[in-house]
Amino acid sequence: MMFWYDHDVSGWGWFAMTASMILFWALIITAAVLVFRALNRPHEHTSAPVAPTPEQILAQRLARGEIDEDEYGRRLSALRKGPDPGTA
């Protein structure tokens, strides 16, 4: 019967248990916050920006008023026809 009363936890044992429990929960909460932030972060570098096509640039210039409809038509037909084989 005396065996059970002789094995209590000392002050340092209580301190170690308390510190380890606080550290355990701090690590769990920190990991949860980091996972939550990583999942909710917008993915900025998933794809490279796509450059506009020459036809889109031409349409933008027409919309801004830099060129008129006649010039737009000429340049668009030149773009769609391709380079002249005799000039290269």
Side-chain angles (χ1 to χ4, degrees):
M1 202 71 156
M2 295 297 271
F3 177 75
W4 295 105
Y5 295 109
D6 197 26
H7 291 82
D8 62 340
V9 179
S10 67
W12 286 108
W14 284 108
F15 175 76
M17 283 193 302
T18 304
S20 64
M21 188 56 70
I22 291 171
L23 181 63
F24 171 76
W25 284 112
L27 289 174
I28 294 295
I29 292 170
T30 302
V33 168
L34 290 176
V35 167
F36 179 75
R37 284 186 182 177
L39 292 176
N40 287 333
R41 181 178 5 168
H43 301 289
E44 299 168 353
H45 303 292
T46 55
S47 63
V50 178
T53 64
E55 289 152 348
Q56 290 172 336
I57 294 172
L58 194 58
Q60 290 172 358
R61 290 187 65 195
L62 175 66
R64 286 192 300 259
E66 295 176 6
I67 57 174
D68 60 0
E69 290 181 21
D70 293 332
E71 188 174 355
Y72 173 77
R74 284 194 309 271
R75 290 180 183 229
L76 187 62
S77 65
L79 279 174
R80 291 185 177 162
K81 184 172 50 169
D84 189 13
T87 59

